[in-house]
Amino acid sequence: MPITFGGRLNLRNPPIISINNHTIQVVNNIKYLGVTWDCCLTFTKHFKALRDKTDSLTYKLSTVANEFYSKRSGLFRKIYYGAIEPYLLFGVGAWGNRLKLKKIRDSLNSLQRRPLIKITKAYRTISMEALQVIAGIVPLDIKAKGVFGKFLLTTINNDIKFGSKIFKWEDYETRLDPHNIHPADNISISYDKHKPSGDEIEIYTDGSKINDQVGAAIVVFYYNAEIFNRTIRLSDFATVYQAEVTGIQMALEFIYTIGPWNKINLYTDSLSVLEALNTFKTSKQEILAIKNDILEMSKEKSITLHWIPAHTGIQGNETADSYAKKATTKPYIEKIPKKSFKQLKNAISNVQIQIWQEPTQELFLDGSRHFEPQSDDEDNTWAVTLSPSFRTTPSGGNLAPIVGFSVQQAYIHGGSALESKFEPEVLWPQNRDLTTRPPRPCRFPIT
């Protein structure tokens, strides 16, 4: 691994380091885990290598896309988001602290140039800022700050301030590292798709979100007779997935209260939760806890998980659904789950857009900042409306034509240029005494 030293060191007379009588060679830079480290930690060589590889990768991918998918104009945008941008931001945990340097930020943004020209089909002389606005793609330095912030929040467990918003790591789900779990502890809980038979104990769970209010419920049947139900209202930012997980947890709490039982059937219409339980490796703490609870209680009880389709007339599922909807109307919140990683990603993306919009006001002559990034939908167009009025001022006492220039609404799609329209206006003399200085012939039509 690389060893760095603080302070001023002379590479002509470097310190001598020996391990087991073997002298460690001192080098100016070294590539470690895909990141090129230099002696000053400027990562200049790393970004230079990225530039060459990005240009080559852009050319190869665009050639394949144009040859086989020429009719899909938005394909290269998806290639950029799926392949090029993650490649450029690889190792941001190592060099993210250097984003405070303008040189690093400029180097990152310059890496976007070739891919964005391919996306917008613009001229090579276009400015980088205009390319980013036309393409509707966030500048790479702002994107890198967001990715580095997520790294600090979810991996290092540090609070971060991004833009004007503060993110606390305690408010978000803790993602487990599957490599830190012993392979013997990786378990899978299987399920089937058998329909209810009405025998023994049958537990139905469901989650619901109505008018941004979230609820979860369970209902227990014993030989088709309802014997127990429970509802919980979750915080408004909770997802339906979290409500479904809460329903499974409530069902296990009920199973824990009863004694040994020969057969317990647990039914849910959430296939995503069942698939998460059926996977050996997991990164979610609550899924791992459910697995361990089922494994522990299975020593005394026979628990079987079943998937059933929603809203198909199954009595237990319909009853659980009605209870879950009623739970959303409770006047108080009983459970506040942690925010999901997807919610963190969306929140950081919103802050990135806000940061990007602030300095772009100078790009619009009328002071407006009404623009929206283009969506990933290839059929969608991105529009911006500009309404400046450029006027040429008279000079030197000559008759100078005043030409009104108005930029109409431009729809940029597939690299088409801005449409403009020139409107001639009345010519006004600069000098009132027209007899002493005859006017020059005007080549503009006078109306």
Side-chain angles (χ1 to χ4, degrees):
M1 63 176 295
I3 302 175
T4 58
F5 298 88
R8 296 180 179 273
L9 295 177
N10 188 359
L11 293 179
R12 296 179 180 178
N13 187 20
I16 299 176
I17 301 176
S18 299
I19 299 178
N20 295 331
N21 296 326
H22 178 74
T23 302
I24 305 300
Q25 182 183 1
V26 178
V27 295
N28 291 332
N29 55 79
I30 183 174
K31 189 172 184 179
Y32 180 68
L33 295 179
V35 179
T36 303
W37 303 69
D38 57 83
C39 57
C40 299
L41 295 181
T42 60
F43 298 96
T44 303
K45 288 187 175 293
H46 175 72
F47 291 118
K48 184 178 180 180
L50 275 182
R51 182 192 303 277
D52 298 337
K53 291 184 178 180
T54 302
D55 292 346
S56 175
L57 183 63
T58 301
Y59 172 76
K60 293 177 181 179
L61 291 178
S62 61
T63 301
V64 174
N66 291 334
E67 182 175 355
F68 296 100
Y69 306 98
S70 58
K71 295 182 180 180
R72 300 180 59 183
S73 58
L75 179 64
F76 195 77
R77 176 183 298 274
K78 297 180 180 179
I79 293 177
Y80 171 81
Y81 282 120
I84 297 178
E85 188 176 82
Y87 176 76
L88 294 176
L89 297 179
F90 176 78
V92 68
W95 48 264
N97 281 323
R98 311 299 288 179
L99 288 171
K100 58 186 178 182
L101 301 178
K102 186 177 183 300
K103 181 179 180 180
I104 299 298
R105 298 196 301 269
D106 293 342
S107 298
L108 274 175
N109 289 331
S110 65
L111 297 177
Q112 278 185 307
R113 185 169 187 83
R114 183 66 64 86
L116 294 191
I117 288 178
K118 287 292 183 181
I119 292 175
T120 60
K121 299 180 181 179
Y123 291 107
R124 289 181 295 177
T125 55
I126 190 172
S127 66
M128 191 64 223
E129 292 79 6
L131 264 179
Q132 293 164 343
V133 172
I134 294 174
I137 294 179
V138 178
L140 200 59
D141 64 323
I142 300 178
K143 190 77 173 181
K145 290 180 181 178
V147 176
F148 183 61
K150 285 186 288 186
F151 168 77
L152 295 177
L153 194 75
T154 59
T155 305
I156 311 299
N157 292 339
N158 286 347
D159 298 339
I160 63 171
K161 182 179 180 181
F162 189 41
S164 59
K165 189 172 182 179
I166 297 177
F167 297 86
K168 295 184 177 296
W169 71 271
E170 298 94 343
D171 297 338
Y172 295 90
E173 293 177 341
T174 302
R175 306 193 73 179
L176 301 176
D177 187 358
H179 301 287
N180 293 334
I181 302 176
H182 194 276
D185 296 331
N186 291 326
I187 59 176
S188 171
I189 306 298
S190 61
Y191 69 94
D192 58 47
K193 297 183 180 181
H194 297 163
K195 294 183 178 180
S197 60
D199 297 333
E200 298 289 339
I201 294 179
E202 294 179 339
I203 305 176
Y204 296 85
T205 70
D206 200 7
S208 179
K209 186 170 186 177
I210 301 176
N211 298 327
D212 292 331
Q213 295 180 342
V214 187
I218 67 167
V219 58
V220 183
F221 288 85
Y222 182 66
Y223 287 100
N224 289 330
E226 181 180 341
I227 61 174
F228 179 81
N229 67 77
R230 182 186 174 191
T231 60
I232 284 182
R233 180 184 171 185
L234 287 74
S235 54
D236 295 341
F237 62 79
T239 62
V240 177
Y241 178 85
Q242 291 175 326
E244 298 284 0
V245 171
T246 301
I248 300 292
Q249 292 172 340
M250 289 192 297
L252 295 179
E253 291 175 2
F254 172 80
I255 295 174
Y256 182 79
T257 59
I258 63 178
W261 208 269
N262 293 330
K263 186 178 181 181
I264 300 176
N265 294 311
L266 199 158
Y267 296 91
T268 178
D269 57 8
S270 177
L271 190 60
S272 57
V273 176
L274 293 176
E275 285 293 336
L277 294 173
N278 193 34
T279 304
F280 279 94
K281 294 183 179 181
T282 181
S283 60
K284 293 182 177 294
Q285 182 68 43
E286 63 273 11
I287 296 297
L288 182 61
I290 291 176
K291 287 182 178 182
N292 294 331
D293 291 341
I294 294 177
L295 184 64
E296 183 66 24
M297 286 187 287
S298 296
K299 297 177 181 179
E300 298 181 353
K301 306 176 180 68
S302 176
I303 304 174
T304 306
L305 301 182
H306 307 273
W307 176 81
I308 52 176
H311 309 296
T312 56
I314 299 177
Q315 179 186 1
N317 179 258
E318 298 295 338
T319 305
D321 180 68
S322 63
Y323 281 129
K325 291 179 179 178
K326 291 180 181 179
T328 62
T329 61
K330 281 189 172 183
Y332 52 90
I333 295 175
E334 301 168 271
K335 182 178 180 180
I336 303 178
K338 292 188 176 182
K339 297 179 181 179
S340 64
F341 184 77
K342 183 178 180 180
Q343 290 173 324
L344 171 63
K345 183 178 179 180
N346 292 337
I348 289 182
S349 297
N350 293 334
V351 177
Q352 288 174 345
I353 297 297
Q354 294 175 1
I355 296 176
W356 184 28
Q357 286 179 335
E358 289 176 359
T360 54
Q361 183 176 5
E362 60 187 10
L363 297 179
F364 302 95
L365 300 181
D366 60 352
S368 64
R369 292 182 294 180
H370 301 291
F371 70 95
E372 296 180 357
Q374 184 173 357
S375 66
D376 291 339
D377 186 2
E378 60 188 44
D379 296 329
N380 186 21
T381 56
W382 180 83
V384 59
T385 303
L386 302 178
S387 58
S389 180
F390 296 95
R391 296 179 181 272
T392 58
T393 57
S395 59
N398 299 327
L399 285 173
I402 301 178
V403 180
F405 176 69
S406 62
V407 180
Q408 305 299 321
Q409 188 176 23
Y411 295 92
I412 300 176
H413 184 65
S416 61
L418 291 174
E419 298 178 359
S420 60
K421 182 176 67 176
F422 291 87
E423 298 177 354
E425 295 185 3
V426 180
L427 301 176
W428 296 96
Q430 179 71 12
N431 195 337
R432 293 184 179 180
D433 189 4
L434 299 180
T435 59
T436 59
R437 179 175 296 178
R440 293 181 180 180
C442 180
R443 291 175 293 179
F444 293 86
I446 302 177
T447 57

